[in-house]
Amino acid sequence: MGKSAQVLVNIHREGGASVSDAALSNLIGYNLKRSFNGIYIDLAEVLRPLGLRMITFTILTMLKENPGIRLSNLAAAIDMEKPNMVAVIDELASRAWVTRSADPYDRRARQLHLTETGAALQGFAYAEVCDHEESFLQHLDGDERAQLIALLSKIRQPAGKG
Amino acid sequence: MGKSAQVLVNIHREGGASVSDAALSNLIGYNLKRSFNGIYIDLAEVLRPLGLRMITFTILTMLKENPGIRLSNLAAAIDMEKPNMVAVIDELASRAWVTRSADPYDRRARQLHLTETGAALQGFAYAEVCDHEESFLQHLDGDERAQLIALLSKIRQPAGKG
DNA sequence: TCCATATTGTTATGAAATATAACAATATGG
DNA sequence: CCATATTGTTATATTTCATAACAATATGGA
């Protein structure tokens, strides 16, 4: 009886049991989250040795492309709240990667710029991020990658918004 | 001079200035985050009246499809840490949408089940979520939607992982 | 049968991301 | 000149996400 009980145990164990997520797999939102999480966790490890997080890398890249931009415009451009942006810019400024300089035409505003160090770091980090994406997308050919980006940007704005 | 100064001010104002994110737009990770954020914020508003968040909706749906599943298997299936899952199951149990019952074959484990109320709520919420996705994806035809899901699931697993 | 090892659910804790209210300084437009 | 809006900022709260550790239990080999 000990042995047949053991059999029952094994039958009912869930060990490596298959779990179905079929209902969720139909949903774009679920797929987006899963895919993003995968790439995000991986990317965090690429950026950590450089002292960067995804958000700080994003901001350095935006500043290289938009030198002198204001904090509020930057925050709006990447859908971030201003108070949270202040904290991130503080961090980047304390590392001497970003400067806040006076805007001669509006004394409320500050112009955000990369320092030389910041620009160099951004360049290096961008290359690393591209390499990482390459490994992540190795199962997609050029057409598929372009199509994925096109489809994603198509759903950027929800129906009744604007 | 007052007036020409005014002109300069206007020239240099960034008001609704165009901000470029071209460098980031090349990156799948960036596009994934932006697209997911858009759908997520919207979806949160659909679920809030039902007392649900994205994670609680996800778990109800997984439980309908996998009745009796263990907490650790469920956590693994959706890439969540066990301690975080415990808190969410606590919440769902306190609402009487989910039960933890004894597993007769393993006294460590508990079987997770939807209650009748939980199952009914999941059914209603799932329909609402599908409606929402419909409005979100209205600019994509059937082929494009299928293709997007296919492409997303293709990049689910990074290169050297497993 | 005993014992080392692994698993399950859990507590405690911290870090990071995200959102809101409010404020002083400044700009704008009537 | 004055009402109103904007800019950057502080303070604060919430939610999400990750790690370490633990008691109870199961497993498999000596």
Side-chain angles (χ1 to χ4, degrees):
Chain A
M1 182 192 173
K3 196 163 184 192
S4 65
Q6 184 69 19
V7 170
L8 274 179
V9 168
N10 289 335
I11 287 173
H12 288 267
R13 284 296 311 290
E14 282 210 36
S18 65
V19 179
S20 166
D21 67 347
L24 292 169
S25 291
N26 293 326
L27 302 173
I28 298 277
Y30 178 73
N31 283 279
L32 278 176
K33 184 170 175 59
R34 295 297 300 268
S35 298
F36 171 68
N37 268 164
I39 208 169
Y40 177 80
I41 291 173
D42 232 49
L43 193 54
E45 287 168 26
V46 171
L47 292 173
R48 187 173 305 119
L50 304 179
L52 291 171
R53 287 169 295 146
M54 202 159 177
I55 186 60
T56 49
F57 165 74
T58 296
I59 290 174
L60 291 186
T61 302
M62 289 295 288
L63 289 183
K64 177 165 281 184
E65 207 169 338
N66 303 275
I69 193 176
R70 292 175 184 187
L71 184 144
S72 39
N73 290 133
L74 178 57
I78 63 175
D79 278 330
M80 194 174 171
E81 299 300 322
K82 282 190 299 174
N84 300 326
M85 180 64 78
V86 170
V88 179
I89 298 294
D90 280 349
E91 177 186 337
L92 293 173
S94 77
R95 300 262 215 156
W97 293 333
V98 166
T99 58
R100 291 184 244 229
S101 53
D103 181 327
Y105 303 102
D106 188 335
R107 284 195 286 169
R108 295 169 304 179
R110 317 268 216 122
Q111 297 180 340
L112 298 177
H113 286 278
L114 290 185
T115 61
E116 274 190 40
T117 315
L121 176 62
Q122 190 280 335
F124 185 73
Y126 192 81
E128 296 265 306
V129 170
C130 288
D131 282 355
H132 170 259
E133 290 235 334
E134 188 59 34
S135 83
F136 219 89
L137 300 178
Q138 63 182 335
H139 299 303
L140 269 56
D141 62 34
D143 277 355
E144 288 174 318
R145 295 179 197 193
Q147 201 146 32
L148 179 54
I149 288 186
L151 290 172
L152 287 176
S153 61
K154 257 194 180 182
I155 61 175
R156 190 72 71 74
Q157 272 301 354
K161 289 260 177 95
Chain B
M1 180 192 169
K3 196 160 185 196
S4 66
Q6 185 68 16
V7 170
L8 275 179
V9 168
N10 289 336
I11 286 174
H12 289 267
R13 286 294 311 289
E14 282 209 34
S18 66
V19 179
S20 166
D21 68 345
L24 291 169
S25 291
N26 293 327
L27 302 174
I28 298 277
Y30 178 72
N31 283 280
L32 278 176
K33 182 169 176 64
R34 296 297 301 266
S35 299
F36 170 68
N37 269 163
I39 207 169
Y40 177 80
I41 291 172
D42 233 48
L43 193 55
E45 287 168 25
V46 171
L47 292 172
R48 188 173 304 120
L50 305 179
L52 290 172
R53 288 169 293 147
M54 201 159 179
I55 185 61
T56 49
F57 165 73
T58 296
I59 290 173
L60 291 187
T61 302
M62 288 295 287
L63 288 184
K64 177 165 280 183
E65 208 170 337
N66 302 275
I69 192 176
R70 294 177 182 183
L71 185 145
S72 39
N73 290 134
L74 178 56
I78 63 174
D79 278 329
M80 196 175 170
E81 299 300 323
K82 283 189 298 172
N84 299 326
M85 179 64 78
V86 170
V88 179
I89 298 294
D90 280 349
E91 177 186 337
L92 294 173
S94 77
R95 300 261 215 157
W97 293 333
V98 166
T99 58
R100 293 183 240 229
S101 54
D103 181 327
Y105 303 102
D106 187 336
R107 286 195 285 170
R108 296 169 303 179
R110 319 269 215 119
Q111 297 180 340
L112 298 177
H113 287 277
L114 290 186
T115 61
E116 275 190 39
T117 314
L121 176 62
Q122 190 280 335
F124 185 73
Y126 191 83
E128 296 266 305
V129 170
C130 288
D131 282 356
H132 170 260
E133 290 233 334
E134 189 58 35
S135 83
F136 217 89
L137 299 179
Q138 63 184 332
H139 298 304
L140 269 55
D141 63 35
D143 277 356
E144 288 174 318
R145 295 178 198 193
Q147 200 145 34
L148 179 53
I149 290 186
L151 290 172
L152 286 175
S153 62
K154 257 195 179 181
I155 62 175
R156 192 71 72 73
Q157 272 299 355
K161 287 256 176 99

